[in-house]
């Protein structure tokens, strides 16, 4: 029996957690002598006040959608994939190889090829931790976080060696060919009279991220595999009794999760940088954990949470630029949101569950039946 309505779990708990984080953030801003209301207005204007601002907010949100979906689908199988950072790095490597070494006639075909390459490389990087979990019992948290460091070292080795253009001093690949450049929102929505999203990096991969949300929803709730993933996540012993192979579910789920994390590279590598550089992921793999937790591992919730963190990233950058609030304090504000929506979830959940239980009407007593004469 549910202790609270579904809408309260999906909407009310994240909303209250967000308000608590905002309140504590306001106190922190007030403590350093800044006006919290002015800071909030600046964040809103800087992240949503123009098409340029929206362009950066949606660009960050696109990254967080992919990494959030990667964590969310693993959570449904009760797996905690915190290797999205490394999987996204390897996805970038896949995109770079696809873009640099295969001639493409048009960006639309290059986008399909880049998405496949990114997903394959991300999935391959998740395969070894998945196999170790399924066959050797190695905890997925330990192996995936270790693989983040291995991915960073591998990428560093390749970018100062085999992939660096001759004569270049920068640890980065060469520019991708013109045919692989993805159209930005400025290219897609500007007119001769009005330039929209001027200079913003948001591009067509945002729509790929939306399609990924729909695909993950259909997979989890409309397919047999999705049912098996959820069943395994609810009870491994019951799933085994029903004939569901734990090894297959662990490996397949982690392959899908790694592939989704890797597909982030079509946005930041193929769409924005148009080359592979060091630190291209910029922590988006770890932010995906908070996005999945706040979104309750539901694709629609992940979308909303990704938009929120896109707002925090772009609004925080504006705060650091136009006020005396240091960049480190912006990270603290983002951390407070993660803290309240993730680690302190039960602090909000338990009082609400108790309240809804008290408000629930008492069950009617069973009617006594008279014995037949």
């Amino acid at each position: 029996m549910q202790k609270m309505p579904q809408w309260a779990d999906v909407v009310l708990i994240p909303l209250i957690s967000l308000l608590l984080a905002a309140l504590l953030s306001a106190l922190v801003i007030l403590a350093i002598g800044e006006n919290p209301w002015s800071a909030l207005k600046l964040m809103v204007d800087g992240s949503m006040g123009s098409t340029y601002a929206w362009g950066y907010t949606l660009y960050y949100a696109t990254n967080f959608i992919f990494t959030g979906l990667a964590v969310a689908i693993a959570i449904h199988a009760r797996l905690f994939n915190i290797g999205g950072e490394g999987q996204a790095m390897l996805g970038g490597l896949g995109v770079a190889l696809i873009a640099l070494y295969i001639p493409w006639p048009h960006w639309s075909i290059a986008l399909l090829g880049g998405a496949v390459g990114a997903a394959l490389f991300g999935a391959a990087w998740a395969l070894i931790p998945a196999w170790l979990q399924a066959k050797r019992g190695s905890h997925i948290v330990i192996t995936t976080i270790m693989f983040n460091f291995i991915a960073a070292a591998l990428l560093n080795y390749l970018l100062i060696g085999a992939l660096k253009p001759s004569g270049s001093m920068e640890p980065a690949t060469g520019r991708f060919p013109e045919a692989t450049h993805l159209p930005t929102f400025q290219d897609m929505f500007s007119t001769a009279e009005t330039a929209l999203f001027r200079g913003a990096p948001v591009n067509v991969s945002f729509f790929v991220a939306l399609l990924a949300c729909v695909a993950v929803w259909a997979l989890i709730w409309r397919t047999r595999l999705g049912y098996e993933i959820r069943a395994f996540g609810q009870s491994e012993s019951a799933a085994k009794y029903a004939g569901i192979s734990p090894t297959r579910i662990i490996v397949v789920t982690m392959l899908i999760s790694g592939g989704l994390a890797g597909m982030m590279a079509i946005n930041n590598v193929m769409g924005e940088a148009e080359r592979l550089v060091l630190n291209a992921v910029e922590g988006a793999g770890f932010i995906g954990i908070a996005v999945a937790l706040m979104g309750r591992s539901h694709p629609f919730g992940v979308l909303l949470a990704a938009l929120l963190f896109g707002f925090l990233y772009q609004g925080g950058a504006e705060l650091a630029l136009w006020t005396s609030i240091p960049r480190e304090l912006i990270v603290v504000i983002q951390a407070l949101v993660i803290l309240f929506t993730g680690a302190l979830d039960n602090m909000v959940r338990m009082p609400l569950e108790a309240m809804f239980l008290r408000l629930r009407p008492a069950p009617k007593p069973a009617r006594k039946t008279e014995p037949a004469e």
Side-chain angles (χ1 to χ4, degrees):
M1 183 180 66
Q2 284 188 329
K3 296 181 179 179
M4 69 171 71
Q6 185 69 23
W7 66 267
D9 186 27
V10 174
V11 177
L12 193 57
I13 291 178
L15 182 60
I16 294 175
S17 298
L18 188 60
L19 290 175
L20 290 173
L23 178 62
L24 195 54
S25 300
L27 294 176
V28 172
I29 293 173
L30 196 62
I32 65 169
E34 291 285 343
N35 187 329
W37 181 248
S38 299
L40 176 61
K41 288 200 297 183
L42 183 58
M43 287 185 71
V44 172
D45 289 340
S47 57
M48 296 186 291
S50 65
T51 56
Y52 169 83
W54 269 110
Y56 273 91
T57 300
L58 294 178
Y59 166 74
Y60 291 126
T62 304
N63 291 336
F64 302 150
I65 289 171
F66 283 120
T67 56
L69 289 174
V71 177
I73 196 167
I75 287 176
H76 280 289
R78 201 166 288 181
L79 299 169
F80 199 32
N81 177 19
I82 60 175
E85 191 85 359
Q87 291 148 18
M89 291 180 196
L90 266 290
L93 178 61
V95 164
L97 296 177
I98 290 288
L100 289 171
Y101 298 109
I102 298 178
W104 299 98
H106 192 262
W107 68 263
S108 58
I109 305 175
L111 174 61
L112 290 175
V116 171
L120 287 176
F121 272 67
W125 202 245
L127 175 60
I128 300 174
W131 184 86
L132 290 173
Q133 165 86 12
K135 290 294 189 179
R136 300 297 180 188
S138 303
H139 202 289
I140 200 76
V141 170
I142 303 300
T143 52
T144 50
I145 198 168
M146 291 176 67
F147 266 63
N148 287 337
F149 294 99
I150 299 172
L154 174 62
L155 207 61
N156 185 70
Y157 170 76
L158 292 173
L159 289 179
I160 63 173
L163 294 179
K164 188 175 72 170
S166 178
S168 173
M169 298 297 292
E170 186 180 6
T173 66
R175 301 282 294 185
F176 296 165
E178 188 73 27
T180 65
H181 294 179
L182 302 183
T184 64
F185 274 26
Q186 180 179 349
D187 302 327
M188 298 165 64
F189 299 115
S190 292
T191 63
E193 297 79 18
T194 308
L196 301 175
F197 301 97
R198 187 192 300 271
V202 62
N203 56 79
V204 70
S205 58
F206 174 72
F207 299 113
V208 180
L210 296 182
L211 289 175
C213 289
V214 176
V216 170
W217 174 83
L219 170 66
I220 293 296
W221 281 282
R222 290 295 183 271
T223 67
R224 177 177 177 176
L225 175 60
Y227 172 79
E228 291 177 343
I229 289 172
R230 288 184 288 122
F232 178 81
Q234 291 294 322
S235 173
E236 181 178 349
S237 57
K240 289 171 67 176
Y241 184 78
I244 298 172
S245 168
T247 299
R248 182 175 72 90
I249 293 300
I250 291 172
V251 171
V252 170
T253 303
M254 285 298 296
L255 287 176
I256 297 171
S257 178
L260 286 166
M263 283 183 66
M264 172 191 143
I266 64 173
N267 182 48
N268 66 324
V269 175
M270 194 174 192
E272 191 264 335
E274 296 171 348
R275 58 178 183 157
L276 179 60
V277 299
L278 278 179
N279 302 321
V281 181
E282 296 180 326
F286 295 117
I287 295 296
I289 300 171
V291 168
L293 292 174
M294 188 171 187
R296 294 297 183 269
S297 301
H298 191 287
F300 181 66
V302 166
L303 172 61
L304 295 181
L307 290 172
L308 169 65
F309 277 92
F311 160 79
L312 289 175
Y313 254 60
Q314 175 58 16
E318 292 293 315
L319 274 185
L321 181 64
W322 298 110
T323 69
S324 61
I325 298 176
R327 179 66 188 172
E328 290 76 15
L329 190 58
I330 309 303
V331 177
V332 170
I333 294 173
Q334 295 166 355
L336 286 172
V337 175
I338 297 172
L339 181 67
F340 276 95
T341 57
L344 299 180
D345 178 82
N346 279 339
M347 187 181 74
V348 177
R349 177 182 299 276
M350 294 176 68
L352 281 178
E353 287 179 346
M355 183 189 74
F356 277 105
L357 283 175
R358 285 196 299 268
L359 294 176
R360 181 174 295 168
K364 295 180 179 179
R367 292 179 59 184
K368 293 182 179 181
T369 55
E370 295 293 333
E373 293 182 1

